[in-house]
């Protein structure tokens, strides 16, 4: 399953090259007279090539097939204003992302566009209905040069990922457009740390080298080692996921031996900056400032041969400097999610050493590389080719997408809610309980929903011509795009309590994953404590009665949770499994049963989990 060779886009690049940073201007301005050259800066005189050349690296991550601008709070980025207040700015949508990248490339003959994984998977209906072919097509048109795989690239397994890379029509659904065969990605998907259990070899290319006029930049792509814990078992069948640091260091050595000294790692793993504002200065030295999370340890372990890290997975925005093992500063960037931001990094390439200049002194005039996140704003002209692409696929999707499923009185927040218990989480769990409570459907008495499976908000404002308050199939699909099958299993009261403790302990201690619970289950979460003690066990009640550790309960959840996903090993211990309909079917049935145009559904109160902060 080797990747298709990189198409040579150099000529197109020269014409369509990108936006510099103020700092770069400052760097050029600070140079001695005569040392500047229109092809970059350096000691170029007459027709000699300058010693250094500026390579522009444009990057983004976690697009998740969001071709249309994401609705509601999922479609905004936070910006800190001069007076310290924050403002939500509408952003994203590939019509604007394409325009932003094309504008940014102007005047930059050496420009590379790279991504940090999760380009597809958990996508809205417009892309998800067609197994993400529309997104790959859009990324080809945007001139993406390279991306790493993310965990969501494995949602439908390695064979489907290979099809997205190499092309060919879907094995079950065939070709979506008459006489048109899906061409696949014309950029390499890199999967250095994902090997086949049978062959031991990477399932896709581990790295690629971008070349132009003697300038060479190597890219190594990895996904998080923990991918199997957050993807269904079928998606990662027959695959092995390896340590990110060891893998990158191994291939950096290989590239170095080939004479490629400038190396960028694309890593689908990330961190959490101290502020959610995209323009937060991640390198400010105040108490509690900076970045935390898995990427900090990964960055500290990656060989100094690697010059910059483009990251993802956490859907956060940051441009941070984390020292490499040699103590030199190194850029670590992430551009939020859903195409709402892009990062513009200037890599100063030294033609003599073939390496990126990285100074150890950090000041405004000598910090290399320079980097910043930019908003993909919606007040710029749309890219016409993207508008046409969206319209074409929307025509195919419309008969399914536009069907009303239910009615709501106001926004019901899921993804956009920062609270441990989300109104939309309660609604989904209630739908699952109701759908699977009848004796012949599983006899469930309680339902659990994983927060990461809620991909959007239900937004009151109309997305199309359906009218405000109408929930269309396309909108409910966007909330629950995985179409996981529902499971009902036997769990003891003791296992239930352990599962609730696993939300805030073990692999979930540092970053809790709070299960969304169906009505009737109540308890207190004390976040002033640590680990499992955060769950106040004697407050756990089902329909007003304490949970009996010895009693057996029928529990409904999606197949991902029932497989022990997201660190919930206790939920994976269920017995007497009954497989029900898909989570989406159960959700839509609930909307239909509980709302009409005359009597729409109000957001749930979200009062099942009492949180002590």
């Amino acid at each position: 399953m080797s990747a298709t060779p990189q198409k040579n886009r150099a000529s197109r690049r020269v014409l369509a090259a990108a936006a510099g940073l103020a700092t770069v201007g400052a760097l050029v301005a600070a140079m001695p007279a005569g040392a500047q050259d229109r092809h970059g800066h350096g000691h170029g005189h007459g027709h000699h090539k300058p010693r250094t050349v500026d390579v522009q690296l444009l990057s983004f991550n976690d697009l998740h097939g969001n071709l249309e601008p994401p609705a509601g709070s999922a479609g905004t980025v936070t910006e800190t204003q001069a007076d310290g207040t924050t403002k939500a700015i509408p952003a994203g949508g590939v019509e604007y992302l394409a325009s932003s990248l094309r504008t940014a490339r102007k005047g930059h003959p050496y420009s590379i566009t790279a991504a940090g994984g999760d380009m597809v998977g958990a996508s809205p209906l417009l892309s998800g209905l067609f197994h993400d072919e529309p997104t790959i097509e859009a990324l080809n048109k945007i001139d993406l040069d390279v991306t790493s795989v993310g965990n969501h690239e494995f949602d439908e397994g390695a064979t489907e990922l290979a099809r997205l890379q190499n092309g060919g029509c879907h094995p079950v659904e065939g070709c979506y457009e008459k006489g048109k065969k899906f061409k696949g990605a014309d950029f390499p998907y890199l999967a250095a740390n994902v090997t086949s259990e049978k062959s031991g070899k990477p399932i896709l290319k581990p790295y690629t080298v971008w070349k132009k006029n003697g300038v060479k930049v190597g890219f190594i792509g990895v996904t998080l080692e923990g991918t199997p814990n957050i993807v269904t078992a079928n998606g990662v069948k027959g695959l092995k996921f390896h340590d990110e640091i060891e893998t990158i260091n191994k291939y950096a050595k290989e590239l170095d031996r080939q004479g490629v000294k400038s190396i960028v790692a694309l890593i689908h793993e990330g961190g959490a900056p101290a502020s959610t504002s995209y323009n937060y200065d991640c390198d400010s030295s105040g108490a509690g400032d900076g970045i935390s999370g898995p990427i900090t340890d990964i960055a500290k372990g990656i060989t100094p041969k690697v010059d910059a890290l483009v990251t993802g997975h956490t859907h956060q925005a940051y441009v941070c400097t984390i020292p490499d093992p040699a103590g030199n500063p190194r850029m670590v960037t992430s551009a939020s999610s859903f195409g709402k931001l892009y990062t513009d990094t200037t890599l100063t390439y030294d033609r003599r050493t073939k390496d990126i200049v990285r100074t150890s002194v950090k000041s405004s005039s000598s910090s290399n590389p320079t980097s910043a996140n930019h908003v993909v704003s919606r007040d710029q002209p749309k890219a016409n080719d993207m508008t046409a692409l969206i319209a074409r696929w929307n025509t195919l999707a419309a008969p399914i997408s536009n069907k009303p499923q239910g009615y709501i009185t106001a926004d019901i927040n899921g993804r956009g809610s920062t609270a441990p218990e989300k109104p939309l989480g309660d609604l989904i769990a209630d739908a699952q309980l109701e759908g699977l409570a009848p004796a012949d459907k599983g006899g469930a008495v309680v339902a659990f929903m994983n927060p990461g499976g809620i991909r959007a908000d239900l937004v009151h404002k109309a997305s199309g011509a359906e009218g405000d308050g109408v929930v269309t199939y396309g909108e409910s699909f966007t909330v629950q795009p995985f179409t996981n099958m529902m499971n009902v299993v036997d769990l003891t009261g003791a296992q239930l309590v352990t599962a609730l403790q696993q939300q805030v302990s073990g692999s979930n201690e540092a970053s809790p994953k709070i299960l969304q619970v169906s009505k009737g289950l109540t308890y207190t979460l004390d976040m002033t404590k640590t680990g499992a003690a955060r769950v106040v066990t004697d407050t756990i009640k089902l329909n007003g009665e304490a949970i009996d550790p010895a009693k057996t309960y029928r529990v409904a959840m999606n197949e991902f949770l029932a497989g022990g996903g997201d660190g919930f090993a206790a939920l994976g211990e269920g017995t007497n499994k009954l497989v029900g309909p898909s989570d989406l079917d159960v959700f839509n049935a609930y909307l239909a049963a509980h709302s009409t145009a005359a009597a729409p559904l109000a957001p749930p109160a979200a009062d099942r989990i009492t949180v002590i902060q």
Side-chain angles (χ1 to χ4, degrees):
M1 292 191 272
S2 68
T4 43
Q6 174 75 42
K7 288 187 185 165
N8 182 0
R9 300 213 190 97
S11 53
R12 246 193 297 170
R13 281 283 184 242
V14 179
L15 297 168
L21 297 157
T23 334
V24 181
L27 277 169
V28 176
M31 302 204 55
Q36 295 168 20
D37 184 285
R38 67 194 173 87
H39 295 300
H41 48 270
H43 302 289
H45 297 286
H47 297 289
H48 296 299
K49 275 187 176 171
R51 163 87 187 250
T52 63
V53 57
D54 279 348
V55 175
Q56 179 189 51
L57 175 63
L58 300 175
S59 56
F60 59 97
N61 51 279
D62 296 275
L63 181 65
H64 290 289
N66 279 266
L67 300 178
E68 294 174 293
S73 61
T76 62
V77 290
T78 305
E79 181 178 80
T80 300
Q81 307 299 299
D83 62 1
T85 58
T86 59
K87 183 174 155 190
I89 298 177
V94 292
E95 293 159 295
Y96 304 109
L97 179 62
S99 289
S100 287
L101 294 174
R102 287 164 185 170
T103 302
R105 289 177 192 139
K106 282 178 186 155
H108 292 266
Y110 295 87
S111 183
I112 312 170
T113 304
D118 278 7
M119 294 296 99
V120 300
S123 306
L125 186 91
L126 177 61
S127 186
L129 188 63
F130 306 106
H131 295 276
D132 283 312
E133 288 181 23
T135 298
I136 298 294
E137 188 188 331
L139 292 170
N140 286 345
K141 287 180 190 289
I142 279 176
D143 284 346
L144 182 63
D145 286 301
V146 57
T147 182
S148 70
V149 293
N151 52 292
H152 283 282
E153 264 80 17
F154 295 93
D155 284 347
E156 295 186 44
T159 310
E160 173 63 4
L161 173 57
R163 185 182 79 87
L164 290 181
Q165 176 72 85
N166 301 320
C169 296
H170 193 270
V172 178
E173 290 166 36
C175 301
Y176 294 113
E177 294 176 292
K178 226 186 166 104
K180 263 194 187 177
K181 188 180 162 209
F182 174 59
K183 289 191 176 75
D186 68 9
F187 49 90
Y189 252 118
L190 304 180
N193 68 331
V194 188
T195 57
S196 152
E197 278 178 358
K198 273 194 189 136
S199 73
K201 292 191 171 80
I203 59 159
L204 292 168
K205 285 170 73 158
Y207 59 80
T208 191
V209 181
W210 182 93
K211 297 174 189 151
K212 183 173 177 185
N213 296 346
V215 173
K216 289 194 274 195
V217 183
F219 288 86
I220 303 166
V222 298
T223 183
L224 69 154
E225 187 184 4
T227 292
N229 308 325
I230 52 175
V231 173
T232 57
N234 274 344
V236 293
K237 216 177 179 163
L239 304 177
K240 228 175 147 148
F241 291 78
H242 303 268
D243 182 84
E244 304 93 339
I245 299 171
E246 284 171 23
T247 305
I248 291 168
N249 290 354
K250 171 183 152 182
Y251 287 111
K253 212 184 248 174
E254 197 170 304
L255 282 166
D256 187 59
R257 276 201 303 267
Q258 292 171 19
V260 179
K261 308 291 183 188
S262 299
I263 303 171
V264 176
L266 307 173
I267 308 173
H268 191 71
E269 177 60 294
S275 159
T276 54
S277 293
Y278 82 89
N279 57 341
Y280 162 66
D281 177 5
C282 196
D283 293 340
S284 45
S285 54
D289 268 327
I291 185 170
S292 58
I295 200 63
T296 54
D297 289 334
I298 291 172
K300 287 171 188 163
I302 289 175
T303 171
K305 291 186 200 308
V306 174
D307 299 295
L309 315 182
V310 171
T311 73
H313 189 56
T314 56
H315 291 205
Q316 303 292 314
Y318 48 84
V319 172
C320 303
T321 311
I322 300 176
D324 69 18
N328 289 324
R330 182 165 57 190
M331 299 297 335
V332 179
T333 70
S334 172
S336 181
S337 63
F338 302 170
K340 294 182 286 192
L341 296 176
Y342 70 93
T343 315
D344 189 334
T345 303
T346 303
L347 303 168
T348 301
Y349 182 92
D350 186 324
R351 287 182 185 275
R352 201 171 300 165
T353 64
K354 298 181 177 155
D355 208 348
I356 301 301
V357 180
R358 283 204 285 136
T359 52
S360 55
V361 189
K362 190 166 196 291
S363 71
S364 59
S365 65
S366 67
S367 131
N368 271 308
T370 52
S371 185
N373 272 323
H374 300 274
V375 179
V376 175
S377 75
R378 296 185 198 163
D379 53 13
Q380 61 183 316
K382 295 177 180 183
N384 294 333
D385 56 342
M386 293 295 146
T387 307
L389 179 146
I390 289 169
R392 207 180 86 234
W393 288 102
N394 258 333
T395 304
L396 291 174
I400 295 169
S401 183
N402 297 340
K403 278 188 186 149
Q405 302 298 312
Y407 303 85
I408 54 175
T409 62
D411 285 2
I412 304 181
N413 282 347
R415 200 76 185 175
S417 164
T418 52
E421 181 186 352
K422 304 166 193 317
L424 189 50
D426 285 1
L427 185 67
I428 290 169
D430 288 352
Q432 294 180 352
L433 177 61
E434 183 169 297
L436 299 157
D440 61 334
K441 299 279 191 291
V445 294
V446 64
F448 291 129
M449 175 63 193
N450 54 309
I454 306 166
R455 304 305 298 187
D457 303 335
L458 276 187
V459 178
H460 183 262
K461 190 178 181 321
S463 60
E466 78 274 12
D468 290 351
V470 180
V471 179
T472 63
Y473 185 87
E475 290 164 338
S476 62
F477 182 98
T478 298
V479 167
Q480 293 213 279
F482 297 111
T483 49
N484 275 322
M485 302 316 286
M486 289 303 302
N487 288 187
V488 186
V489 297
D490 281 351
L491 287 170
T492 64
Q495 286 169 320
L496 275 186
V497 172
T498 302
L500 292 175
Q501 290 170 333
Q502 284 169 347
Q503 302 176 108
V504 288
S505 64
S507 61
N508 292 330
E509 176 153 12
S511 175
K513 290 194 172 83
I514 306 304
L515 293 165
Q516 307 298 291
V517 297
S518 55
K519 59 173 175 281
L521 187 76
T522 54
Y523 70 97
T524 297
L525 203 53
D526 185 350
M527 296 309 283
T528 64
K529 296 194 161 70
T530 55
R534 290 164 164 174
V535 175
V536 186
T537 47
D538 58 9
T539 63
I540 307 172
K541 292 191 166 67
L542 183 59
N543 303 322
E545 280 182 27
I547 293 281
D548 178 349
K551 195 176 156 186
T552 296
Y553 297 85
R554 292 292 282 164
V555 184
M557 61 194 117
N558 60 44
E559 60 188 319
F560 170 67
L561 276 180
D566 268 353
F568 291 102
L571 297 181
E573 293 165 6
T575 55
N576 293 331
K577 179 164 82 175
L578 184 130
V579 178
S582 78
D583 51 8
L584 181 62
D585 288 347
V586 165
F587 184 51
N588 283 333
Y590 187 86
L591 290 173
H594 292 273
S595 67
T596 61
L601 200 63
D607 54 4
R608 297 161 194 184
I609 307 170
T610 305
V611 182
I612 300 167
Q613 292 288 8

